[in-house]
C-alpha cells in the first residue's frame, strides 16, 4: 500500500470516492513551500445548473493556511484557519514551511470543523472556578442550515488539483497549483492507497515524495532527505567507499605501518 504522493503544481490524481456518512473524519498530511494550492476536492466535475446536485468538499491552502469549503445541499460554508488566537496574536505559524503538517475534518451531522496540526497550539486558561481553551488559531467550526445532514457526492476524490479546469461551480476553487507532497490520507479509519495505477487517473503526480525518498540511494551510503527543497535527496558514501554508486572501495594507509 502506497501512502505518499507528490505533485508538481500542474497535476491531479483520482482516489476512490468518499463514502457518505452522517458522521465522518478525514485527515491528510501535506508538505509544501507554496503559499496557495488545492489539497483535495470532491464534487461536481462539469458545469452545473441550480437544479443539479451541488454538494462538494474542498480543502485548499491560502496564504499558508488551510481553508475548507463545503456544501451539503443547503448552501455553502467556508472555514478558515487564521493562525490567530482570540487576542489577535499569531500563535500558529504559516504551514508552508516545507515541514509535514496535518489537516483534519470532522463532520457530526450538520456541523463541520477544520483542525490544523491537532490544534497543538491551543491555549488553556485556568482559574479557581473553571478552565477554558482557546482553539481559535488552529480550529474553525461551522453548522449548515437546512434539512440535509449528508453529502450527496459520488465523484472521485481529486488530490492536488482538478482534472477538468474552469468548471463554473463551485467558483473560486483552484484547478491546480499544489506543489509538494501529500501522505496518510485517512477517512473514517480507512487508510487510502495512493498507488497510481491507471494512467488516465492522474497527471503531474508521482508516487512517493521525491524530496525525501531515499529508496534510490545505493548500499554503502547514507541518505540526507531534502524535504525543505525541490531537489532530490543526497546520497553520501560512507567511509571507505566512493563513486556515484558508492561501490568503489577506498584503500586506506595507516601511517604507523610506514
Amino acid at each position: 500500500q502506497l501512502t505518499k504522493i507528490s505533485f508538481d503544481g500542474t497535476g491531479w490524481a483520482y482516489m476512490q470516492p468518499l463514502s457518505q456518512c452522517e458522521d465522518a473524519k478525514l485527515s491528510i498530511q501535506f508538505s509544501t513551500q507554496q503559499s496557495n494550492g488545492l489539497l483535495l476536492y470532491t464534487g461536481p466535475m462539469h458545469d452545473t445548473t441550480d437544479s443539479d446536485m451541488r454538494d462538494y468538499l474542498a480543502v485548499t491552502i491560502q496564504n499558508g493556511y488551510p481553508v475548507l469549503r463545503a456544501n451539503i445541499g443547503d448552501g455553502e460554508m467556508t472555514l478558515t484557519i487564521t493562525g490567530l488566537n482570540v487576542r489577535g496574536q499569531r500563535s500558529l505559524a504559516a504551514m508552508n514551511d516545507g515541514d509535514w503538517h496535518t489537516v483534519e475534518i470532522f463532520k457530526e451531522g450538520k456541523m463541520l470543523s477544520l483542525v490544523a496540526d491537532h490544534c497543538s497550539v491551543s491555549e488553556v486558561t485556568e482559574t479557581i472556578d473553571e478552565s477554558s481553551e482557546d482553539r481559535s488559531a488552529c480550529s474553525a467550526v461551522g453548522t449548515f442550515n437546512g434539512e440535509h445532514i449528508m453529502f450527496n457526492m459520488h465523484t472521485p476524490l481529486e488530490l492536488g488539483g482538478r482534472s477538468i479546469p474552469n468548471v463554473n461551480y463551485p467558483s473560486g476553487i483552484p484547478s491546480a497549483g499544489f506543489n509538494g507532497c501529500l501522505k496518510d490520507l485517512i477517512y473514517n479509519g480507512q487508510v487510502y492507497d495512493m498507488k497510481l495505477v491507471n494512467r488516465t487517473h492522474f497527471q503531474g503526480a508521482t508516487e512517493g515524495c521525491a524530496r525525501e525518498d531515499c529508496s534510490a540511494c545505493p548500499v554503502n551510503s547514507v541518505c540526507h532527505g531534502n524535504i525543505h527543497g525541490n531537489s532530490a535527496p543526497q546520497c553520501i558514501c560512507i567511509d571507505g567507499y566512493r563513486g556515484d554508486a558508492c561501490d568503489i572501495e577506498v584503500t586506506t594507509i595507516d601511517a604507523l605501518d610506514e
Side-chain angles (χ1 to χ4, degrees), residues 131-202:
S131 65
S132 60
E133 183 180 17
D134 176 15
R135 296 170 59 89
S136 55
C138 49
S139 176
V141 181
T143 302
F144 288 107
N145 297 317
E147 300 179 352
H148 296 87
I149 60 174
M150 295 177 62
F151 285 105
N152 187 2
M153 300 175 301
H154 306 284
T155 53
L157 177 64
E158 298 182 83
L159 301 181
R162 298 180 69 179
S163 58
I164 303 175
N166 305 318
V167 177
N168 68 348
Y169 175 87
S171 63
I173 302 293
S175 297
F178 180 72
N179 188 330
C181 301
L182 299 177
K183 72 174 183 178
D184 295 345
L185 172 61
I186 304 174
Y187 182 66
N188 289 344
Q190 176 191 356
V191 180
Y192 267 60
D193 188 350
M194 294 182 172
K195 191 170 184 61
L196 302 174
V197 179
N198 190 326
R199 292 291 302 177
T200 65
H201 289 178
F202 67 93

Side-chain angles (χ1 to χ4, degrees), residues 159-251:
L159 301 181
R162 298 180 69 179
S163 58
I164 303 175
N166 305 318
V167 177
N168 68 348
Y169 175 87
S171 63
I173 302 293
S175 297
F178 180 72
N179 188 330
C181 301
L182 299 177
K183 72 174 183 178
D184 295 345
L185 172 61
I186 304 174
Y187 182 66
N188 289 344
Q190 176 191 356
V191 180
Y192 267 60
D193 188 350
M194 294 182 172
K195 191 170 184 61
L196 302 174
V197 179
N198 190 326
R199 292 291 302 177
T200 65
H201 289 178
F202 67 93
Q203 175 181 298
T206 56
E207 294 180 351
C209 184
R211 292 177 294 156
E212 64 169 15
D213 185 5
C214 294
S215 61
C217 284
V219 294
N220 304 322
S221 70
V222 176
C223 177
H224 294 271
N226 191 30
I227 192 66
H228 290 285
N230 292 318
S231 60
Q234 292 182 303
C235 305
I236 307 299
C237 296
I238 62 175
D239 291 343
Y241 293 89
R242 65 179 177 84
D244 292 340
C246 297
D247 57 351
I248 303 174
E249 289 192 53
V250 177
T251 302

Side-chain angles (χ1 to χ4, degrees), residues 103-123:
V103 173
E104 295 172 294
I105 301 169
F106 297 89
K107 182 181 180 299
E108 299 179 24
K110 298 180 182 180
M111 186 178 73
L112 274 184
S113 57
L114 175 67
V115 178
D117 281 344
H118 311 293
C119 221
S120 59
V121 301
S122 65
E123 303 174 15

Side-chain angles (χ1 to χ4, degrees), residues 59-91:
V59 180
T60 61
I61 300 297
Q62 296 184 21
N63 299 316
Y65 291 95
V67 176
L68 168 66
R69 288 181 53 189
N71 188 347
I72 60 172
D74 296 309
E76 296 183 70
M77 176 193 297
T78 300
L79 300 177
T80 303
I81 300 296
T82 65
L84 303 177
N85 62 22
V86 71
R87 299 183 301 278
Q89 301 168 332
R90 189 166 302 283
S91 59

